[in-house]
Amino acid sequence: MNITKLVVKNITRRRGRFVFTLLGITIGIASFVAFLALGGGLKDEVRREAAALGANLVVTPKGSCAYEQVSILTGEQLPSTITMEEVGRVAAIQGLTAVPVLTEKTAIRNRPVGVAGVLPNAMKPFKGWEVRSGEYFANNDERVVVVGAAAAESFGLKPGDEVTIRGTRLPVKGVLKETGSKDDTTLFLALSVAQELFKAAGKASFVAVKVDDLSRTDDYIMKIKETVNAGVVSDKQMLKSVLGIIGTVNVTLQLIAAISVLAAAFGIVNTMMTATYERRREIGILQAIGARRREIFAIFLMESGFYGLLGGICGVAGGLAASILVGPMVNQNAFLAFVKGNDPAAVLDPKLMVGSVAFSVAVALVAGLYPAWRAARLTPVEAISHE
């Protein structure tokens, strides 16, 4: 008796039932995999943006919450309440390098784009920027635009072009090399020019700070708080806070996906219980020709496991495809604007794929335990005499 052929024949004899049961486990696993892949992509993006910020400390408006910390990483518009006088007092603290940033929004061809007002001479070495084409700012007050690599590509901008910001036409002087961070999607202006255009004279959104001695980070935080009436957060604290928010969201989404998998498991139970009832005579014949109870149990358990294996493989493929396709759409949400779509190579994690298929098989096997036990309990007489 070839058990494998028998298992495949049994589960495919009712094609409609087979397809719908398989779809249940496939959709459940696909949603589970998609959420895991997107969640992993989000965490990687957060870590990359935090590293690209180039700051050990960030001075924010007093009372800022975690959302403002996310906005710093995403380049979203922030309240401009930090005065240049406060920036000067922070910069005067020995052992610190402080760079103010004004974050705003504009639109090019009716498409939103981030604008950052910076001190060009200080920001270039602070961030380690390099110019891909054209030239960098000549001084801290030059009325030109330097464009991030992705923004230049998206809007077809090159040195010599002009962009209109708040009704003022400014020439594009240069395009930065790709950094792999939100800087790639940003238009950069001299801070004084940005303050003038956005009517934020003498104000900044936040201050990025580098410290000379990392072992004294806590001391620097206390000094800054004593010097200015503002909030101060370290890069590690900000990263932990943002990852905590994303982790909570991920857990919630995964629980929703787990409910889908649980519903699929009950679908398998129902299918296998129906099969047990319909195939009583077949079970009796198998017992009559020498099949033992453990072999009957194994046949039904393998049928259930086959649903899990095939559904897991289809679910992993569907989930990964969904995460790759849906990733770019996530950046429409301001809270997650730093997600520019998952890199397919990063999403295709072998551990994720193997683990998800194994999880699917395990769920299916657990779901098939009771139907298999019921089938194995039938006596030959009871099974053969069933009408």
Side-chain angles (χ1 to χ4, degrees):
M1 179 174 60
N2 190 318
I3 293 180
T4 303
K5 286 185 178 179
L6 182 62
V7 166
V8 174
K9 180 181 178 181
N10 285 338
I11 65 175
T12 56
R13 67 169 64 176
R14 302 274 188 174
R15 294 184 180 179
R17 182 191 300 166
F18 169 71
V19 168
F20 286 113
T21 304
L22 186 63
L23 278 175
I25 191 72
T26 297
I27 292 171
I29 294 298
S31 59
F32 187 76
V33 169
F35 290 145
L36 280 178
L38 286 172
L42 288 176
K43 290 180 179 179
D44 290 343
E45 288 287 348
V46 168
R47 292 189 180 96
R48 184 169 64 183
E49 293 295 348
L53 186 61
N56 307 121
L57 301 174
V58 178
V59 180
T60 62
K62 192 168 183 64
S64 296
C65 63
Y67 183 83
E68 274 77 16
Q69 295 175 19
V70 174
S71 296
I72 290 172
L73 296 182
T74 64
E76 290 300 300
Q77 186 172 346
L78 281 168
S80 303
T81 59
I82 299 176
T83 66
M84 294 306 292
E85 179 186 355
E86 291 174 321
V87 173
R89 293 208 298 266
V90 172
I93 299 174
Q94 292 295 321
L96 298 182
T97 301
V99 179
V101 180
L102 176 67
T103 57
E104 296 287 349
K105 282 285 188 182
T106 189
I108 298 177
R109 305 185 194 108
N110 295 320
R111 292 163 56 192
V113 60
V115 177
V118 299
L119 294 177
N121 293 343
M123 186 59 83
K124 187 177 182 182
F126 191 94
K127 291 262 194 175
W129 285 339
E130 294 182 25
V131 179
R132 186 179 73 186
S133 60
E135 298 179 356
Y136 192 66
F137 297 94
N139 55 64
N140 280 341
D141 298 307
E142 190 174 13
R143 299 179 70 83
V144 296
V145 180
V146 172
V147 186
E153 182 178 346
S154 178
F155 297 106
L157 298 175
K158 61 185 183 300
D161 291 343
E162 289 188 335
V163 294
T164 301
I165 300 177
R166 297 297 289 262
T168 301
R169 296 184 66 81
L170 298 172
V172 174
K173 187 171 184 180
V175 177
L176 298 176
K177 286 186 178 179
E178 186 173 350
T179 64
S181 71
K182 67 173 179 58
D183 292 344
D184 293 337
T185 62
T186 305
L187 306 182
F188 294 96
L189 302 175
L191 182 59
S192 60
V193 177
Q195 289 171 337
E196 174 192 334
L197 295 180
F198 291 95
K199 301 189 185 306
K203 298 294 180 67
S205 302
F206 68 91
V207 183
V209 178
K210 278 186 179 179
V211 301
D212 294 342
D213 185 355
L214 290 176
S215 66
R216 297 184 56 205
T217 298
D218 291 338
D219 293 337
Y220 288 126
I221 291 175
M222 292 302 299
K223 285 183 179 180
I224 293 173
K225 287 183 176 179
E226 290 171 359
T227 303
V228 296
N229 185 27
V232 185
V233 61
S234 70
D235 56 344
K236 292 183 175 61
Q237 290 171 334
M238 183 164 59
L239 183 60
K240 182 178 179 180
S241 176
V242 175
L243 287 178
I245 296 171
I246 291 176
T248 302
V249 173
N250 282 342
V251 169
T252 302
L253 294 177
Q254 288 163 20
L255 285 174
I256 295 172
I259 293 173
S260 300
V261 177
L262 182 63
F266 281 110
I268 293 175
V269 172
N270 181 63
T271 296
M272 298 307 300
M273 287 297 294
T274 303
T276 301
Y277 180 80
E278 291 176 345
R279 290 158 49 195
R280 286 190 174 188
R281 182 176 292 276
E282 178 187 316
I283 293 169
I285 293 172
L286 288 173
Q287 290 174 331
I289 62 176
R292 289 169 291 185
R293 286 191 172 185
R294 65 184 181 184
E295 291 173 333
I296 302 296
F297 180 86
I299 289 172
F300 277 81
L301 198 61
M302 285 178 64
E303 290 179 16
S304 180
F306 187 83
Y307 277 113
L309 178 62
L310 191 55
I313 293 172
C314 295
V316 166
L320 293 176
S323 66
I324 293 170
L325 293 173
V326 172
M329 302 177 189
V330 180
N331 67 354
Q332 302 302 316
N333 184 333
F335 182 75
L336 301 174
F338 48 87
V339 182
K340 304 167 187 66
N342 287 314
D343 178 6
V347 172
L348 296 175
D349 181 358
K351 292 182 180 179
L352 171 64
M353 293 188 289
V354 173
S356 298
V357 173
F359 174 61
S360 176
V361 172
V363 169
L365 289 175
V366 171
L369 284 174
Y370 179 68
W373 176 76
R374 285 290 301 270
R377 282 187 64 223
L378 289 174
T379 64
V381 174
E382 180 186 6
I384 293 176
S385 63
H386 173 74
E387 292 295 338

